[in-house]
Amino acid sequence: MKTIALYSIKGGVGKTASAVNLAYLSSVSEPPTLICDLDPQGASSFYFRIVPNKKYSSKKFLKGNKKIYDNIKGTDFDNLDLLPADFSYRNLDIELLEEKKPQKKLKNNIKELNTEYPFIFFDCPPNLTLLSESVFTASDVILVPLIPTTLSLRTFEQLLDFFKECKLDTAKIKGFFTMFERRKAMHREIVEEYSGKKRFLRQIIPYNSEVEKMGIYRAPLNAVRPNVPAAIAYQELWEELMNEIEHRPTK
Amino acid sequence: MRTSLKPEYFSISDTSGLPEFFKGVDIPFSLQAEPLKKELLHCYDTFDWKAWNKKNAIVLCCQRLNLVDLKNGSEIGSSPLRKAPQSFFPEDIAEEKTVSMLKTLSRLRAFIRLGSVKTEIATWRALDENQKTVASIELLSILQPKPSNAQKPLAYVRLNPVRGYPKELETLAECLKSNPAYSGKTTYQDFYTAVLDAVSSVPGSYSSKPSVKLKPGNTIQDSARELLLSTLEVIHANESWIPKNIDTEFLHDYRVAIRRTRSILAQLKGIFPPNELSRYKQAFRELGKRTNNLRDQDVYLLQAERFRNLLPAAMRDSLDSFFTDLRNQHKKELRTFSKYLGSENYRQFLQEWESFLKGNMSPDPDTTPDALRKTSDVAVSSIKKAWKKVIRHGRDISRVATDTELHALRIDCKKLRYLLEFYASLFPAKTLQMVIRQLKTLQENLGVFVDLSVQQNYLYSYLSNLECTADNIPFASSLGGLVTALYNERETVRMSFHDAFDTFDRQETEELFNELFNKHR
């Protein structure tokens, strides 16, 4: 089982769109795939038209394995399942504080899912909290979407510093650029400087209004508009990521 | 932790489509029609129905080969497969898990295409208030060829669950049931049986074992004729497949049927007129002989990988020419034998044999003194005799068993095994199974020993006839290495003979045999 988190301290950088599209591509090439919506806003749940069961809450999520398993729902796409986020997830950080080893909680809670899903994606909320730390431990790869701006790069540096400070494995972190607009000089310069360098993937996701329309389609872009530039870029990004995972030395 | 979603099957007598079907029914979902699909469904199984017997179906549809649980219709294995081959082996499949599942069903027998049907699948998605699919309903119809049985329902409905929506599925199933056109809950097995029926395939219709149910009070002559007709059926069932060279087991079953025939003829004395008997005995011996080389070649080719692995890696490749040679010989031999199978002589011989078995036989006290004996009496006395012979000969075997002793005992065991199988229907199945299981252990030991001896001798004579050229040196050394490896293996088997025999020659087995005999005291 490989776990991939779509994470950024900053909001509005394309975490959910990336999680939904990459998870969809994973479900096609490495079925079946699970996407865990960890953001109380429930954006990826919304994209798949899924609402959690009435009795599902952050408490059940923290109980793990069987409780998580019972609340997984099938999306409208073959081999792609989703664990929806509940609004009570906003309390996850406080609840995690009461747990014994909060950093390892998520990793332990999904242990039993490994027989079913070769790939699990986490769509994370934008902040750096105890839940984020739990995600860092549970993930094999932490994908960080970045708009090519100085502010984005700054938060990326902050994340790296945090990892070093907490003695976490920085090799898990992989940044990639989203919402790239060629007409903007700053975008071009930043992409040229960082893309494909250490800790960055080569593939960039161009700005494409079709991505915003995912809220109307309520489906992965690669499922409904596979030929638009952003969908093609996500396909390339998934292939690059697979290649990266396959060739990564195992620890 | 893993659950697979199980579809539910229903049959309905209305094929006009679901919206029509649901007219007037209060259904809390909206139905969204998907494009109508027409698909070709190819069904596969081994000739002896290994998948069906283990409650599995193998179907190829939309370039995917699926292994389906017959009981609940859930998919237990799946792999891409572009074309629909006439036959395939597990290792021809791409997806590893499916390969190992297919291997548990069959290692030697190929999966053969039983037939293909054109199906029409109309799909509707059931959507909740968020327009989320909570289940899908498929209306499956077999377009061509039509199932022969007119009583079959016109269409099957498959209700496909979506994970996390069990209540919605239940509601939908209830809605289906409340309709007048609903004709009942059914299973995937029913649907699959209808598909097989459409291609005129009868599941479980072939088994290499005699399936005759004998009556203990019948005369042995009648019972023997019944048994011989059933082995003749096996001969006929396999003969047209042998030339196709699909797998080695057609020839194997064919040979076993011949051997069984010969075994009945040899062991049941005094029940058929001696002149006729000796003529048929001779003819079946010759028929068997015609297949000997072919079977040997099959065995070597099946063992190719094992033979290679017995040698150090550097010596393996030089064996290739041996196997190429073997393959060519096999091709030639198969051509010759196939020609014989198609000949008038062969056809006539079996026809005469059949007429003989079906013809009137008036028992004559001089030539056929035992013809009127009770089947159960003969069964008990012949099994007893064969069993005692195995015990007597086995106990006589020296501390270090010789080749001749082991060869002879193997034949004794085979005779006993055939008798037990012929008369199986006369005895309690459980006891008989236990007896056969114990005999099997001994037979395996003897079988492996004899096979290794034959292989070793064959390779040795091949080596002796090899031209003495410099080019042949690596090949000769590989063959030499192989002969040595097989020799060592055989000696290990020889050493374990007495242990294998002791597990058969013991009080417990004797009690089991007596239990069998007491049934007809």
Side-chain angles (χ1 to χ4, degrees), chain B residues 52-96:
Chain B
W52 174 273
N53 291 340
K54 291 233 168 103
K55 296 270 171 238
N56 286 162
I58 300 169
V59 285
L60 175 67
C61 184
C62 308
Q63 303 192 338
R64 278 203 86 81
L65 184 79
N66 295 319
L67 189 59
V68 186
D69 186 332
L70 272 178
K71 283 173 281 178
N72 54 32
S74 64
E75 187 186 290
I76 44 181
S78 179
S79 177
L81 188 65
R82 278 184 177 276
K83 283 183 184 155
Q86 280 298 338
S87 66
F88 66 85
F89 284 101
E91 47 276 21
D92 301 333
I93 301 305
E95 207 268 330
E96 259 175 62

Side-chain angles (χ1 to χ4, degrees), chain A residues 75-92:
Chain A
T75 68
D76 285 7
F77 305 92
D78 286 345
N79 296 310
L80 181 56
D81 293 344
L82 177 130
L83 176 69
D86 184 64
F87 198 53
S88 59
Y89 274 21
R90 66 192 187 282
N91 304 321
L92 264 177

Side-chain angles (χ1 to χ4, degrees), chain A residues 32 48-51 53 65-66 69-70 72-76 81 112-113 115-117 218, chain B residues 1-5 64 97 125 127-134 162-166 168:
Chain A
F48 287 111
R49 303 171 189 270
I50 291 175
V51 281
N53 290 340
N65 295 310
K66 172 106 179 43
Y69 196 80
D70 290 345
I72 290 174
K73 289 184 176 258
T75 68
D76 285 7
D81 293 344
E112 288 176 32
L113 301 181
T115 49
E116 179 140 2
Y117 299 103
R218 294 183 79 177
Chain B
M1 201 189 287
R2 196 185 170 111
T3 46
S4 58
L5 298 170
R64 278 203 86 81
K97 253 197 226 158
R125 284 173 180 262
L127 308 174
D128 67 6
E129 69 277 8
N130 292 319
Q131 302 299 296
K132 165 81 182 82
T133 310
V134 292
V162 171
R163 183 171 192 165
Y165 298 92
E168 288 81 350

